[in-house]
Amino acid sequence: MGLSQSLWTGLSSIKSHQTWTDVISNNLSQSNTDGFKYSDVSFSDIMYQTLKPSTNQSTGVGTTNASELGLGVNVGSINQVFSDGDYQLTSSTFDCAIEGNGFFVLGGLNAGTPDNYFTRNGSFYFSAPLSDNPGEQNLQSANGLIVQGYQAVDGIISDTLSDITLPIIGTRIDGVPTSELTFEGNLNSQVSVINGNSVPTVAEGTTTGGWISNTAATINVGGVETSGNLINNQSSTTANSTTDLTALSFERDSGNVASLFSSVPAGFAVDSREITVEFTKGEHHYTETFVYGEDGTTLNDFATWLTGGVGDAGDPATQRINGGALGTVRTREYTVDGDGYAAPAEQAGSYFGYDTSGNFNLSIASNLGKFNTIADIKISTVTAVSNASTGETRNLQTNYDDFFNPNPNYKPDDLGGSAISKTDIYLNSTEPDVGTIKEEQRINYTLLSRDSNGSTWRWFADGNYSSVDEANLNKGTGTIRFGTTSSNQVEASTIDGGTDYTMNFSAMTQVALDNSPTIINDGCPDGELDSFTIDQYGVIDGTYTNGLHQHLARIGMALIPNANGLIQVGDTMWQASGVSGSPIFNISASDKSFGSIRSHYLETSNVDMANEMTKLLLSQRGYQLGSKIVTTADDMLQEAANMKR
């Protein structure tokens, strides 16, 4: 053993501290690299040379220790430290940081293969729209690899790891049809009970038609708006519906009768007659004309025209009113049935009949509610006459603009009843690429009865449907029964007429306060994707303009049994190796061992610069000491070489 060994020992120190300096330099250079994990160096001594072995104890002689000479220092290992870095707030939803032990999973160069990469850098962004599906984009990392996770179909997240693909902003989603209306608020307990006005009926006797039987007990919830009658003003001892139309007269009030047609002047003959009926139904105005001689010549002909189908099948007015000049409408009329009320029937907007004395009666009346009301009824006639001697022709006109006379004893509101609430409901659409259509729904409330045991209200559901058949205007009816407790809570409710959804009245009250009924609707219209959110489990939700939220995907995470066995491949990524063990993926979203994801945050480098600078000084000092060893050994060798002089 000579002085040359000291040279090698010093050299080992220089090389080891150089490696340490390299590691520290890399750590410091990556101090601002998101997701970077610093490395640390551990040193070990090199094998020892025994100069004198140890001896055991013998008679009269004690033990002796061995004399060993170390041969230098070596880098034992370079290990990464996977402690969490700091968390930096960002403005991007898809900047994600893991608080815990997990790693984000990135697809390999061949997407869908087991060649996954692992990273703690969660700076993600969208790819360009996919060529085979322009409405979707991949979520990818800063180096272009696709983020792996669990896709959702109709909001259900799968358990198969795959590329994360998300819809682009603005993607449409179908709305949800209304399935339940929940009613809240108050109905004023001090309002008046309905007055029980009745619709007009034909005279006593056998009728041939009409709204109701003249013998039925009737009540019109919300009151009735009445009108005048058209009557047969000729005397007859037998019922005769074939009487000529010239006998038809207008009766404003009982006994106040005027001829429907103008008187024919002397010297003139009738060439033709027309009867025109104008009316408003809901928000639409209609005009229908009966041509005497073409459409018919009898009272029955006119009555059939007025209450039956008029015009071609495709005629808009005919279709809007469900047939006829006034057509068939849904009324709010109920027939007393024991202690309750029978369900509403389809009632004609006009009726006619005659009794055994031959009195022909035709009545046109308005039912309650803005969108179901036949209103502003006008009757006018034109009698075309000519004088054969002079050749003169005339059109004689009569107009009855005051035909419609609301009941003065009842002042209905816009829709009738004692209270009203409104909401938009959503119905399944038959249009392509349209999920739901929005329609206005109105609920009217009328107090039917009040007694010592409580009170009963009747509700009506009426819609203003612009895109469905008008036959669907009435969406059902029923009752709400309030008890006599101090809170006047709902004791029971019924649905007497059919609705397309559940009506829940349990949260309503009836106290002496203003009417304030409100409706909560569980449906919603179609919407468009507006934004994304990511929760602590990595679930990506889409938020839509209609208020819906839907699961779109869940970001995948992995645990590595031996993280120090991962292979560093650059771009703050690692790959598994035989030493690291097989990665474990977060198939279960509730498994917290992977850590939690923090959206709008990035994990910064975990390099502690002060610590690294301190280690850099130590490394420098160790390097200097190694250099001194070499120079000192070199000087000593030089002195030995000079001994021969």
Side-chain angles (χ1 to χ4, degrees):
M1 177 66 64
L3 288 173
S4 60
Q5 180 59 51
S6 297
L7 290 172
W8 294 111
T9 300
L11 180 60
S12 70
S13 176
I14 291 172
K15 293 176 65 177
S16 296
H17 285 88
Q18 176 62 58
T19 301
W20 192 19
T21 303
D22 291 340
V23 172
I24 295 170
S25 298
N26 186 60
N27 290 342
L28 289 171
S29 67
Q30 305 293 341
S31 59
N32 291 314
T33 301
D34 293 329
F36 178 80
K37 301 302 178 185
Y38 78 88
S39 297
D40 208 357
V41 173
S42 62
F43 294 103
S44 63
D45 50 0
I46 303 177
M47 61 176 292
Y48 286 81
Q49 181 181 6
T50 301
L51 301 180
K52 185 180 74 172
S54 61
T55 60
N56 295 325
Q57 185 177 1
S58 61
T59 303
V61 180
T63 60
T64 60
N65 296 324
S67 298
E68 296 178 310
L69 179 63
L71 302 181
V73 63
N74 194 15
V75 175
S77 63
I78 302 175
N79 294 315
Q80 285 195 289
V81 179
F82 286 93
S83 62
D84 290 352
D86 293 329
Y87 297 96
Q88 177 183 349
L89 180 65
T90 74
S91 60
S92 174
T93 300
F94 288 98
D95 281 343
C96 298
I98 298 176
E99 189 173 12
N101 298 320
F103 290 82
F104 295 114
V105 184
L106 305 177
L109 298 178
N110 299 315
T113 69
D115 300 326
N116 294 121
Y117 295 87
F118 306 97
T119 186
R120 295 278 294 194
N121 183 356
S123 178
F124 302 140
Y125 66 98
F126 287 119
S127 69
L130 303 181
S131 58
D132 58 343
N133 190 351
E136 295 185 342
Q137 302 167 295
N138 284 134
L139 187 64
Q140 59 188 43
S141 65
N143 53 16
L145 295 179
I146 300 175
V147 179
Q148 302 295 289
Y150 306 92
Q151 283 294 131
V153 177
D154 295 330
I156 306 300
I157 299 175
S158 75
D159 57 3
T160 301
L161 194 69
S162 63
D163 294 346
I164 290 183
T165 302
L166 299 174
I168 63 174
I169 294 294
T171 298
R172 191 189 67 82
I173 188 174
D174 287 348
V176 177
T178 298
S179 63
E180 181 178 51
L181 297 183
T182 301
F183 294 81
E184 298 179 343
N186 184 62
L187 294 176
N188 190 347
S189 61
Q190 301 301 305
V191 300
S192 300
V193 176
I194 191 63
N195 57 23
N197 291 327
S198 298
V199 297
T201 63
V202 297
E204 291 292 334
T206 304
T207 63
T208 60
W211 273 7
I212 56 175
S213 167
N214 61 308
T215 59
T218 62
I219 181 172
N220 275 258
V221 178
V224 175
E225 297 172 357
T226 63
S227 67
N229 295 327
L230 297 177
I231 65 171
N232 174 11
N233 199 32
Q234 98 176 358
S235 299
S236 175
T237 57
T238 59
N240 182 9
S241 62
T242 62
T243 304
D244 188 273
L245 274 169
T246 55
L248 197 61
S249 299
F250 172 60
E251 182 182 39
R252 284 188 178 86
D253 303 304
S254 179
N256 184 7
V257 178
S259 176
L260 189 64
F261 295 100
S262 299
S263 300
V264 179
F268 285 80
V270 176
D271 294 328
S272 64
R273 298 183 191 274
E274 293 181 356
I275 304 175
T276 297
V277 180
E278 293 185 59
F279 61 93
T280 298
K281 182 170 186 289
E283 297 178 335
H284 304 278
H285 187 79
Y286 302 103
T287 301
E288 298 286 346
T289 299
F290 178 86
V291 181
Y292 174 59
E294 293 182 9
D295 294 314
T297 59
T298 69
L299 293 176
N300 250 350
D301 292 331
F302 177 61
T304 301
W305 171 86
L306 191 60
T307 59
V310 177
D312 297 331
D315 182 86
T318 300
Q319 298 305 307
R320 289 295 296 177
I321 60 176
N322 197 22
L326 298 183
T328 299
V329 296
R330 291 180 183 270
T331 71
R332 292 178 177 81
E333 178 195 346
Y334 291 82
T335 301
V336 176
D337 180 15
D339 295 329
Y341 294 88
E346 292 280 355
Q347 306 291 358
S350 56
Y351 72 86
F352 70 98
Y354 54 88
D355 60 23
T356 55
S357 299
N359 294 315
F360 177 87
N361 183 294
L362 177 67
S363 179
I364 303 173
S366 168
N367 60 302
L368 190 64
K370 177 179 178 181
F371 290 96
N372 275 345
T373 294
I374 296 171
D376 301 327
I377 303 172
K378 300 177 182 179
I379 300 290
S380 61
T381 64
V382 175
T383 303
V385 297
S386 62
N387 189 312
S389 300
T390 63
E392 181 185 356
T393 62
R394 297 180 187 178
N395 287 326
L396 309 177
Q397 298 185 2
T398 59
N399 295 284
Y400 297 100
D401 293 346
D402 58 348
F403 191 92
F404 178 74
N405 296 308
N407 188 325
N409 298 317
Y410 183 79
K411 185 178 180 180
D413 58 24
D414 183 44
L415 292 163
S418 303
I420 181 175
S421 56
K422 302 178 183 179
T423 186
D424 288 329
I425 63 170
Y426 302 94
L427 309 173
N428 280 318
S429 173
T430 57
E431 298 290 328
D433 299 324
V434 177
T436 61
I437 54 175
K438 180 179 75 173
E439 304 294 351
E440 187 176 75
Q441 179 75 83
R442 295 171 170 85
I443 309 296
N444 304 285
Y445 310 86
T446 303
L447 182 59
L448 289 182
S449 64
R450 182 187 292 117
D451 54 41
S452 60
N453 295 319
S455 57
T456 300
W457 293 67
R458 180 163 287 282
W459 59 266
F460 307 93
D462 289 301
N464 175 23
Y465 300 147
S466 60
S467 52
V468 296
D469 189 274
E470 188 157 333
N472 292 322
L473 280 176
N474 184 294
K475 303 300 294 185
T477 185
T479 60
I480 311 171
R481 177 69 181 178
F482 291 93
T484 56
T485 61
S486 59
S487 61
N488 282 304
Q489 296 292 326
V490 175
E491 288 187 345
S493 62
T494 67
I495 299 178
D496 300 336
T499 64
D500 292 339
Y501 31 78
T502 301
M503 314 283 275
N504 183 355
F505 297 95
S506 60
M508 296 190 77
T509 60
Q510 180 201 238
V511 295
L513 296 173
D514 290 343
N515 289 312
S516 59
T518 59
I519 305 174
I520 300 174
N521 179 8
D522 67 351
C524 68
D526 296 353
E528 295 181 347
L529 180 60
D530 182 64
S531 61
F532 299 94
T533 59
I534 303 175
D535 70 10
Q536 62 177 326
Y537 301 106
V539 175
I540 303 173
D541 275 359
T543 301
Y544 294 82
T545 54
N546 58 2
L548 286 180
H549 299 268
Q550 188 176 64
H551 294 336
L552 302 176
R554 180 164 60 87
I555 296 175
M557 288 191 288
L559 283 177
I560 309 300
N562 176 25
N564 278 306
L566 290 170
I567 302 172
Q568 297 187 74
V569 295
D571 283 337
T572 59
M573 296 191 306
W574 296 266
Q575 273 193 303
S577 69
V579 178
S580 68
S582 298
I584 304 168
F585 298 103
N586 63 331
I587 296 176
S588 172
S590 61
D591 191 340
K592 297 182 179 180
S593 61
F594 294 83
S596 59
I597 289 180
R598 300 174 66 174
S599 174
H600 286 284
Y601 285 89
L602 286 176
E603 182 184 7
T604 63
S605 169
N606 68 347
V607 172
D608 184 333
M609 287 187 287
N611 188 48
E612 293 302 309
M613 291 299 294
T614 301
K615 290 192 290 184
L616 186 61
L617 292 174
L618 293 174
S619 174
Q620 180 185 13
R621 185 62 62 196
Y623 188 94
Q624 290 173 338
L625 292 174
S627 299
K628 286 295 183 181
I629 293 171
V630 172
T631 57
T632 299
D634 180 62
D635 289 344
M636 293 174 68
L637 287 171
Q638 186 64 39
E639 289 298 324
N642 292 335
M643 289 177 64
K644 68 176 182 177
R645 298 178 181 174

